[in-house]
Amino acid sequence: MFRHLGRRAASCTARKRTYSEFKHGNLPHSHSPITTDLEFFNSVRPDGQQIPTYRVLDSVGQPIDGSTVPEIDESFARKLYETMMLLPTLDTLLYSVQRQGKISFYHGEEATVVGSAAALSPTDEVLGQYREMGVLLWRGFDLDSIMSQCLGNKEDKATKGRQMPVHFGSPQHHFHTISSPLATQIPQAAGVGYALKRDPERRGKDCAVCYFGEGAASEGDFHAGMLLASTIPSPTLFIVRNNGFAISTPSSEQYYGDGIAARGPGYGIDTIRVDGNDILAVLGAVREARRRCVQQGRAVLVESMTYRVGHHSTSDDSFAYRARQEVEDRKKVDNPVSRLRLFLESRKWWSDDEETELKARLKSEILTAFKRAENLSRWELKELFSDVYGGDEPWNLREQREELGELLKKYGTVWEPWKKEREKFSGSGDEFLS
Amino acid sequence: MSTEAAIEPPPAGGHVPSIATSTLLRSTREAALKTPSIRWCDDPQVGSSSSVLVDSRETRKMNTYQAVRDAMSIALNKDETAVVFGEDVAFGGVFRCTMGLAEEFGRERVFNTPLTEQGIAGFGIGLAAMGQTAIAEIQFSDYIYPAFDQLVNEAAKLRYRSGGQYNVGGLTIRTPTMAVGHGGLYHSQSPEGFFLGAAGLKIVIPRSPIQAKGLLLASIRDPNPVIFMEPKILYRSAIEQVPLDDYELPLSQAEILTSGSDLTILTYGTPVYTCETAIHHLSQPPPSLDALIPQSVRSASVELIDLRTILPWDVDTVVKSVQKTGRLLIVHEAGRTGGVAGEIATEIQKRCFLRLEAPVHRVTGWDTPVALQYEKFYIPDAVRVLDGIIKALTY
């Protein structure tokens, strides 16, 4: 009887037909039909099952029965694979060579990030959480820029060395600068979507794309963002990476409902769940999600089911809260990279030799970029005080900058912690001494 | 300006009695057009106040909400990207500040949001990050705290953290503030002090219709996110002749309202008028207070300063004044501990140490919530300011 309740997207005629089952009419100012059944319902599926997961490839990279392989040609498919491969290679290398132990990317979500990036227009405005470097790589943000941000050197245009590693940003690549507070970008994305809708140059062409994890979806800003983008119709594409963990918290302790996707219909948002380790499923689903988003000027939600194979960050040992074997199993059984590789090989688009060559090339490129970045000095020390405000520098900042200058003149050559640190900056902080 | 003109004693029961009769309000066209540091934005000579251009300008009697509305109308007219949004703004707003704007500019530009302060702030940040002009309203400043994270962690830091690549200069958050006589805990607060540590934000509080329009237009166009707090009791009670043209008043610049040589009173918002009343009582005490005002202080010359911008505040004007007077009294409605006065007192103590003849005095709300039936004993009213003046002068 409540079949229609889970189907906001159903056509009007279908809805009318279903409504005719009710004999007592509707509530005034509402489509809600009157019923005499005292019946409760939960989640969005009338059959009690969870929202299904859209998939194209099986675990050995073959299209499953009835699936539609999204349109891709060989060079596009190879770019997908090479970009995916770049992520774990970067991770492994940086993890082992960097000294401060502060840099971390991720394993296991390559398909979600790269597959969705490939489905977007390069001018869609992306607001990420911090595991979406693959979007930047897909858009041509180069390895030198990646390294510069992670090491905070003078080529770090994204943050001028002010933010922690992996907090990228590039207006040129339409990628808004990442910040640590979780979910804050979600209502902001609704605003970005609305701005695009109001811009005559971009209306109907671009959308805002907002990435976040299933843990971030527990923040109040998730609720605010979904609500705003649906109520104030804005072309905003929400992509949630449900990787099963928020640091140590399993998703079973994050929510009791049917994941994040089940919440979409509650906000009146077209929603789909997709196999996040199947890059072709992600590509196909996000292409269609984006098409709806831009065409209708409305929000769309994609929940991508994946698994965080890596630790949360370098300051986290995930084996403290989950079995090592579980992770190893997931790497083998459901590996997003090998699934695409097997698909490519079945089309003769990839070979063992190419695999060997790619691995060597990526490793060498990354190492070269790392070594180069490592030897670059930081920005000038005075950048500590700039960009707090636009326009005139307020007196308090000017005075505090001068105060640090006086202290540096006095102690900068004798106080060891400063003496050593100064040398890392362009000009060694001498601009303060003049 | 001068306060020599007679000020009526407060009507029985009135706790901010001088607003209606304040000589600080500019009731003539001529006075309005001579507002200090006014900058006509349609003037080809930027900042010019040439008489030809001034003579042809018109003014209209407006209260504060009408002046706020007028500023937003100009902003919407001149900037296609500007939008106005918040809870209940489409029908005109609960304080009528957005009356008729939706009809005039369309629902795409003036619209209601769902009831979510963190969402409103975040949405505004998104718009502003795209270079557009977002004029958001938080219905009462008491309800700005759900947006604290978006304002302090995001809006304030966005330019800095992105190496200057992004900014949200186009964001202005308007919000009614301060006590209103019967607002209780959650319709009376003055939360400006909580934002003092949010480097990257500006906080502006006007005292009158002319000030509201000029400072709001300057805030909307400032290249930084601004929280614009409107003293809600002044929406209807403060009335001035307001220039109809597009003009701005400078941010981070205090205004000396009356010049004096014995004591500096620094305040902002509603208490500007309380201080005016207190200064009047000092020289001409009503019979009931006569015995309590020492003769020695009655002829004291008091300099009254409206701070106007709370962050970043105008240290130079205050220092110059205190160097002259040697005494400083700071008045605000917010509670004392962690309030704006503490910050200012510290800086002034540091800069004017050798000139100070008395400790910096603070007359503020108490360190309690704003209790409904106790409001007259909570707010820094005229007698409390007067007592502060006497203490500062007789130290």
Side-chain angles (χ1 to χ4, degrees), chain A residues 310-322:
Chain A
H311 302 299
H312 164 72
S313 70
T314 43
S315 40
D316 172 50
D317 173 17
S318 68
F319 301 130
Y321 48 82
R322 62 181 184 181

Side-chain angles (χ1 to χ4, degrees), chain B residues 293-367:
Chain B
I293 317 293
Q295 287 297 332
S296 61
V297 299
R298 294 191 182 192
S299 57
S301 156
V302 179
E303 181 145 302
L304 177 61
I305 302 179
D306 179 3
L307 188 59
R308 299 199 290 189
T309 299
I310 312 303
L311 184 73
W313 60 285
D314 179 1
V315 72
D316 290 341
T317 297
V318 185
V319 165
K320 210 173 147 197
S321 174
V322 177
Q323 294 288 15
K324 179 174 65 174
T325 62
R327 289 181 162 88
L328 175 62
L329 174 69
I330 308 171
V331 182
H332 60 58
E333 278 192 19
R336 188 167 301 163
T337 302
V340 170
E343 178 59 39
I344 292 172
T346 308
E347 281 302 326
I348 296 305
Q349 178 266 144
K350 178 182 140 194
R351 286 156 206 263
C352 306
F353 189 69
L354 294 176
R355 289 287 303 136
L356 282 172
E357 291 168 41
V360 177
H361 275 67
R362 290 184 281 176
V363 176
T364 65
W366 309 119
D367 288 341

Side-chain angles (χ1 to χ4, degrees), chain B residues 29 33 40 42-58 245:
Chain B
R29 172 179 169 277
L33 295 177
W40 303 103
D42 46 9
D43 195 331
Q45 286 174 279
V46 170
S48 161
S49 52
S50 61
S51 56
V52 178
L53 283 161
V54 170
D55 283 348
S56 63
R57 293 184 190 279
E58 286 177 35
D245 289 325

Side-chain angles (χ1 to χ4, degrees), chain B residues 184-203:
Chain B
L185 271 63
Y186 305 109
H187 301 82
S188 308
Q189 293 183 45
S190 303
E192 65 276 4
F194 286 107
F195 292 97
L196 274 187
L201 287 183
K202 292 192 177 182
I203 303 167

Side-chain angles (χ1 to χ4, degrees), chain A residues 157-159 162-163 169 171 175 177 179 184 188 191 194-195 198 220-221 224 228 384 386-387 389-390 395 399, chain B residues 80-81 83 108-109 116 118-119 122-123 126 132 149-150 154 159-163 165-166 200-201 224 313 315 351:
Chain A
K157 279 198 285 183
T159 73
R162 290 172 182 151
Q163 286 214 80
F175 192 94
T177 309
S179 70
T184 48
Q188 292 170 13
Y194 196 71
R198 292 215 65 234
D221 274 340
L228 283 162
L384 168 62
S386 70
D387 298 323
Y389 286 95
W395 60 270
E399 288 187 2
Chain B
E80 267 303 308
T81 74
V83 294
E108 189 192 287
R109 300 188 65 194
T116 167
Q118 64 198 92
F123 190 86
Q132 301 192 1
D149 184 38
Q150 285 286 353
E154 297 291 316
R159 183 190 298 271
Y160 188 76
R161 75 178 186 217
S162 68
Q165 293 193 112
Y166 284 95
L201 287 183
N224 297 285
W313 60 285
V315 72
R351 286 156 206 263

Side-chain angles (χ1 to χ4, degrees), chain B residues 1-2 23-26 28-40 47-49 54 207-208 210-215 218 240-241 243 247-251 253-259 304 306 308 317:
Chain B
M1 286 206 60
S2 159
T23 58
L24 300 175
L25 292 165
R26 295 170 175 259
T28 67
R29 172 179 169 277
E30 195 191 11
L33 295 177
K34 282 184 182 161
T35 297
S37 64
I38 194 165
R39 176 179 171 275
W40 303 103
S48 161
S49 52
V54 170
R207 70 167 183 277
S208 76
I210 292 176
Q211 297 291 313
K213 178 174 171 181
L215 291 170
E240 282 182 315
Q241 287 290 331
Y247 70 90
E248 292 176 12
L249 293 169
L251 303 190
Q253 201 170 302
E255 183 183 354
I256 299 171
L257 301 178
T258 62
S259 160
L304 177 61
D306 179 3
R308 299 199 290 189
T317 297

Side-chain angles (χ1 to χ4, degrees), chain B residues 202 204 214-216 218-219 222 226 228 249-254 309 312:
Chain B
K202 292 192 177 182
V204 178
L215 291 170
L216 180 53
S219 298
D222 188 86
V226 179
F228 191 82
L249 293 169
L251 303 190
S252 289
Q253 201 170 302
T309 299

